[in-house]
Amino acid sequence: MKSLANQFSTHFEWILNVINVGVHIVNKDGDTVFYNEMMAHIDGLNREQVLGKNIFQLYPSLTDESSTLYLALEKGIETNESIQTYVNLKGEKITSINSTYSLYEEGKVIGAVEIAKDITKVMSMYDQIVDLRSQLAETHKKSKFFAGTATYHFSDLIGDSPAFQEAISLAKKAARTHSPVMIYGPTGTGKELIAQSIHNVSARRNQPFIAQNCAAVPKELMEGLLFGTTKGAFTGAVDRMGIFEQANDGTLFLDELNSLDLGLQAKLLRVLQEGEIRRVGGSKDQKINVKIIAAMNISPDEALEREIIRSDLFFRLNVVTIQMPSLLERKADIPEIANHFIHKFNRSFVSDVQGISRKAMQRLLQYPWPGNIRELGHAIELAFNVMDAGEKTIDEHHLPAYLFPSGKYSASNTQNHHPPLINEIDLPVVLEEIERDMIINMFEKCNGNISKTAEALNIKRQGLQYKLNKYGIEKVFTGRTKK
């Protein structure tokens, strides 16, 4: 067995040097016997500087109590994914997530190994964001005239489709109480806009609104971000407010809640039940008064089935549930939403685009929009980027190629035979004209067969018959057999 290990030892060393985590191995005296390239990159040192050196020579800022390698050697204390901040030989501040294990032979500790992931840049950004939020929170407390921090209002939300209006109606009712709210729907449907709108009509509208994406922060940092930290909670930790404290008396929006670590979900549940938080490393509980709005980009049923959200937390949050419809479910709103983006990009591009051609609008209506409103906005923005100076109408050839089944538009589609949709439009009339054109096209493809046309349009035969009579479409096909 030893000969086999010796045979592969060079391969093991090669593997440890190419993996994307730092590996540092010390002997029983704390002297370095292995130090891979990634660990050298994390520490900003050369391997030659480190091999043979003692851990306290390499990391003078660490002590017997703060060095995880020393604790593993002397006390057999192992750590799993703990945050460690230290200063290297160059005087640079390094933050990593470390897992440290004792190495045994015949029951005796012969060394220790540390596996590290560099989060120095992430920690720097985290510190800046938390400090900025803390400053805003302090400013709010000191100023009697400091307005709320949410931007959007219900008046900014566009759409008349029944499913969307039902969501708006429920959101307005939810704003009247302090109960938690759960919003779910696909990415790009405007969940944060709804959350901000709820805040801005609630009794908390002049208090802080803080939004945090639970998927954007490593789980090791998330607890400190939520609840705050006390000095000494981990190496490098300082006394700092978490976002619950910063949002006190206001609203906290937790997006992508299903990405939150299950252990943190349990602590979040306690906060909801007790109305108290405790900073990481702290010993005192603090009362907080925060309205929680949570959001998920999958359905609650799927999240529960996949066990990525605790059922007790979900049922505690699920007092008011708002389902945001996809853009595919509210296609009638596309012309108005597209017109909104034209207004927006006219200002940012200093342009004077008047509207969208009918062919281009039909293309927008036919596309399924998996990225929802966000994707529609990107499509209109792209059109602004490719339009020639002086053009005032978005046509098919200005739209992204992926909107076309073949991946490109046809030459005939670039000809606009209809007047553009201008910014001041009669939306019901425009929608009726588009609907009539789509029914005529499908009626032609189905050779005037009403049943097949109704099936192709995914509407009932009686409904299609009404629309045929309404638009006088059957007259176009006199002489053909209809069934």
Side-chain angles (χ1 to χ4, degrees):
M1 182 65 69
K2 285 188 176 180
S3 61
L4 184 63
N6 291 334
Q7 180 182 351
F8 283 96
S9 62
T10 55
H11 297 290
F12 293 149
E13 184 171 342
W14 176 81
I15 291 170
L16 291 176
N17 272 313
V18 297
I19 58 177
N20 199 33
V21 292
V23 180
H24 188 177
I25 303 176
V26 297
N27 62 21
K28 63 180 180 179
D29 298 318
D31 298 328
T32 302
V33 296
F34 182 82
Y35 188 80
N36 75 347
E37 294 289 350
M38 179 53 69
M39 186 64 88
H41 174 74
I42 293 172
D43 287 341
L45 303 173
N46 296 321
R47 295 180 71 195
E48 292 74 21
Q49 292 177 270
V50 176
L51 291 173
K53 295 286 197 312
N54 188 273
I55 50 178
F56 293 114
Q57 289 178 278
L58 296 171
Y59 311 115
S61 64
L62 296 180
T63 65
D64 293 358
E65 290 77 25
S66 61
S67 171
T68 49
L69 278 170
Y70 181 83
L71 291 172
L73 283 174
E74 297 299 320
K75 300 183 179 181
I77 299 174
E78 299 183 347
T79 57
N80 183 38
E81 295 194 334
S82 66
I83 299 172
Q84 187 172 45
T85 300
Y86 55 93
V87 177
N88 65 13
L89 286 174
K90 294 181 179 180
E92 298 168 334
K93 187 177 179 181
I94 309 294
T95 302
S96 59
I97 297 173
N98 296 348
S99 296
T100 313
Y101 308 97
S102 305
L103 298 176
Y104 294 90
E105 188 174 274
E106 296 180 355
K108 295 182 179 179
V109 175
I110 61 167
V113 59
E114 186 160 84
I115 301 168
K117 292 181 286 186
D118 184 20
I119 60 167
T120 303
K121 291 182 180 179
V122 173
M123 194 68 178
S124 176
M125 293 176 62
Y126 163 85
D127 286 342
Q128 291 177 40
I129 291 170
V130 173
D131 286 344
L132 179 59
R133 282 177 170 169
S134 297
Q135 291 172 25
L136 289 172
E138 289 299 324
T139 301
H140 184 277
K141 288 179 180 178
K142 293 176 182 178
S143 174
K144 297 180 180 180
F145 307 102
F146 190 82
T149 49
T151 304
Y152 291 94
H153 298 73
F154 284 115
S155 58
D156 298 315
L157 306 181
I158 300 168
D160 296 312
S161 66
F164 183 67
Q165 284 301 313
E166 182 180 348
I168 296 294
S169 175
L170 190 54
K172 288 179 178 178
K173 294 174 183 176
R176 299 197 298 251
T177 72
H178 301 300
S179 300
V181 178
M182 172 70 77
I183 307 171
Y184 73 95
T187 299
T189 50
K191 296 185 288 294
E192 184 170 349
L193 273 62
I194 290 286
Q196 290 194 25
S197 300
I198 290 173
H199 174 81
N200 275 331
V201 298
S202 72
R204 302 171 183 263
R205 56 186 170 273
N206 292 322
Q207 301 300 326
F209 174 91
I210 292 181
Q212 178 60 52
N213 188 310
C214 297
V217 178
K219 65 178 182 179
E220 296 82 8
L221 298 179
M222 194 65 187
E223 183 175 5
L225 181 64
L226 287 172
F227 308 122
T229 57
T230 55
K231 188 174 182 179
F234 53 84
T235 308
V238 297
D239 288 319
R240 177 180 280 151
M241 286 195 296
I243 56 178
F244 267 97
E245 288 181 72
Q246 294 167 18
N248 200 22
D249 295 326
T251 303
L252 179 58
F253 175 58
L254 297 175
D255 198 6
E256 295 196 51
L257 181 72
N258 46 292
S259 298
L260 189 65
D261 178 72
L262 290 174
L264 284 180
Q265 289 187 27
K267 294 182 179 182
L268 178 59
L269 176 63
R270 177 184 174 276
V271 173
L272 289 169
Q273 291 174 333
E274 306 296 332
E276 297 177 338
I277 58 106
R278 178 182 295 180
R279 291 186 180 184
V280 177
S283 58
K284 295 181 180 179
D285 291 333
Q286 178 181 340
K287 286 286 184 183
I288 51 100
N289 172 24
V290 175
K291 181 181 178 77
I292 299 292
I293 303 179
M296 297 193 297
N297 53 16
I298 59 175
S299 71
D301 289 342
E302 182 182 350
L304 291 168
E305 184 178 345
R306 291 168 53 189
E307 297 183 344
I308 55 178
I309 186 168
R310 292 175 58 106
S311 58
D312 49 4
L313 174 63
F314 169 73
F315 292 121
R316 182 65 185 87
L317 285 170
N318 196 37
V319 177
V320 179
T321 303
I322 301 170
Q323 181 179 0
M324 294 300 294
S326 67
L327 194 53
L328 184 63
E329 298 172 282
R330 45 180 297 214
K331 280 198 167 186
D333 293 334
I334 288 177
E336 189 178 3
I337 296 171
N339 196 49
H340 160 77
F341 283 121
I342 289 174
H343 279 290
K344 173 183 175 181
F345 294 124
N346 268 335
R347 291 192 296 271
S348 58
F349 282 79
V350 193
S351 299
D352 187 27
V353 175
Q354 297 297 308
I356 305 175
S357 73
R358 305 222 182 270
K359 286 286 187 181
M361 180 57 73
Q362 286 180 343
R363 183 62 58 185
L364 297 182
L365 289 167
Q366 290 166 5
Y367 183 69
W369 299 110
N372 297 292
I373 297 171
R374 187 177 298 149
E375 185 183 11
L376 175 58
H378 291 161
I380 300 298
E381 184 176 8
L382 182 143
F384 270 73
N385 276 280
V386 301
M387 293 177 75
D388 292 328
E391 285 190 286
K392 295 184 179 294
T393 302
I394 296 176
D395 211 337
E396 276 193 297
H397 63 284
H398 297 129
L399 298 176
Y402 62 79
L403 267 62
F404 301 82
S406 63
K408 61 182 180 180
Y409 54 85
S410 63
S412 61
N413 285 339
T414 65
Q415 301 300 316
N416 178 21
H417 300 294
H418 303 277
L421 295 176
I422 59 173
N423 287 337
E424 297 296 328
I425 62 173
D426 189 336
L427 185 61
V429 172
V430 171
L431 291 176
E432 285 187 354
E433 290 181 6
I434 293 172
E435 182 180 58
R436 183 178 187 277
D437 288 346
M438 294 180 73
I439 292 174
I440 288 175
N441 290 336
M442 191 57 69
F443 207 37
E444 286 178 340
K445 289 180 181 179
C446 296
N447 296 316
N449 186 303
I450 295 177
S451 297
K452 289 182 179 179
T453 304
E455 183 178 355
L457 293 171
N458 197 27
I459 61 176
K460 293 183 179 180
R461 178 187 169 97
Q462 296 93 325
L464 175 61
Q465 187 68 66
Y466 167 78
K467 292 179 186 294
L468 292 173
N469 293 333
K470 174 183 177 182
Y471 297 130
I473 294 175
E474 284 188 292
K475 296 177 184 179
V476 179
F477 297 93
T478 53
R480 293 184 182 182
T481 304
K482 303 176 185 61
K483 299 178 182 179

